[in-house]
């Protein structure tokens, strides 16, 4: 590595990123932080853009349509938001056959991010079953993404839900609600 300083720098950068991810997971395992107490916020949709780009490259056969939304703060640690949104968007991309639509809505005191995808993998009769650790509707899933996303959202006073879309009978809507 000493003979190639660029490679050494790239390796140090990757190791630092891995250490930060490990530290984050350890902090979550120890109970996580409550953003309502710490005042941490995530700016939307700016925080969503790099995740959409990265997952778009991993799933090049899927179109991702994101309705533009004004910049708004959500009461959520940025690393936690990345984990929540990344898990849910990746889940939608893996289970859908068509395009994914993302839109952000505001209601009194809450921000909702809705990820809509076609119903290629049908929901169980009781959609709450999706949040059971180990539940998987497909072969490419660990069954951890939705439960982890919900746990993190709830730590920040929000929630994650999944249900048939009200405006599209052939679609599933996954909703992240944050304060």
């Amino acid at each position: 590595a000493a003979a190639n300083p660029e490679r050494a720098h790239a390796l140090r950068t990757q190791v630092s990123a891995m250490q930060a991810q490990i530290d984050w997971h350890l902090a979550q395992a120890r109970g996580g932080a409550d953003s309502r107490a710490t005042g941490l916020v995530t700016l939307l949709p700016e925080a969503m853009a790099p995740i959409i780009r990265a997952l778009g490259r991993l799933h090049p056969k899927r179109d991702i349509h994101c309705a533009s939304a004004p910049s708004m703060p959500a009461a959520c640690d940025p690393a936690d938001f990345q984990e929540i949104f990344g898990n849910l968007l990746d889940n939608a991309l893996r289970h859908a056959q068509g395009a994914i639509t993302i839109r952000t809505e505001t209601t009194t005191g809450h921000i909702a991010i809705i990820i809509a995808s076609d119903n290629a993998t049908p929901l169980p009769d009781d959609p709450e079953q999706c949040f059971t650790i180990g539940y998987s509707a497909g072969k490419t899933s660990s069954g951890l993404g939705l439960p982890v996303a919900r746990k993190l959202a709830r730590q920040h006073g929000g929630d994650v839900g999944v249900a048939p879309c009200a405006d599209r009978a052939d679609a599933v809507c996954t909703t992240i609600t944050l304060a």
Side-chain angles (χ1 to χ4, degrees):
N4 188 338
E6 289 177 12
R7 185 171 180 199
H9 174 72
L11 287 172
R12 281 191 301 275
T13 301
Q14 289 176 348
V15 167
S16 293
M18 287 187 283
Q19 185 62 54
Q21 190 71 8
I22 290 167
D23 291 345
W24 179 84
H25 281 286
L26 287 172
Q28 289 303 314
R30 292 180 183 123
D34 187 336
S35 66
R36 294 169 292 180
T38 63
L40 292 173
V41 296
T42 298
L43 291 177
L44 306 176
E46 293 88 344
M48 298 181 333
I51 298 166
I52 292 168
R53 281 193 304 273
L55 288 173
R57 286 191 298 270
L58 289 174
H59 301 274
K61 295 182 181 180
R62 299 280 183 273
D63 290 328
I64 302 173
H65 304 284
C66 191
S68 62
S71 183
M72 60 188 85
C76 188
D77 176 271
D80 288 351
F81 178 78
Q82 289 176 340
E83 188 76 12
I84 296 165
F85 183 68
N87 275 345
L88 299 180
L89 181 56
D90 184 56
N91 192 60
L93 288 162
R94 280 187 293 109
H95 292 286
Q97 289 182 346
I100 306 295
T101 303
I102 303 167
R103 68 183 190 274
T104 305
E105 299 175 355
T106 57
T107 59
T108 306
H110 290 90
I111 298 168
I113 302 162
I114 297 102
I115 302 171
S117 58
D118 63 34
N119 201 3
T121 304
L123 287 174
D125 291 336
D126 178 8
E128 284 298 306
Q129 185 178 356
C130 295
F131 297 100
T132 302
I133 292 175
Y135 173 81
S136 176
K139 296 177 183 174
T140 61
S141 173
S142 66
L144 294 174
L146 289 174
V148 166
R150 176 177 265 182
K151 178 181 182 241
L152 289 173
R154 286 180 172 177
Q155 284 178 347
H156 294 284
D159 204 356
V160 171
V162 60
C165 293
D167 58 345
R168 283 181 50 197
D170 67 334
V172 171
C173 284
T174 304
T175 305
I176 305 165
T177 306
L178 298 168

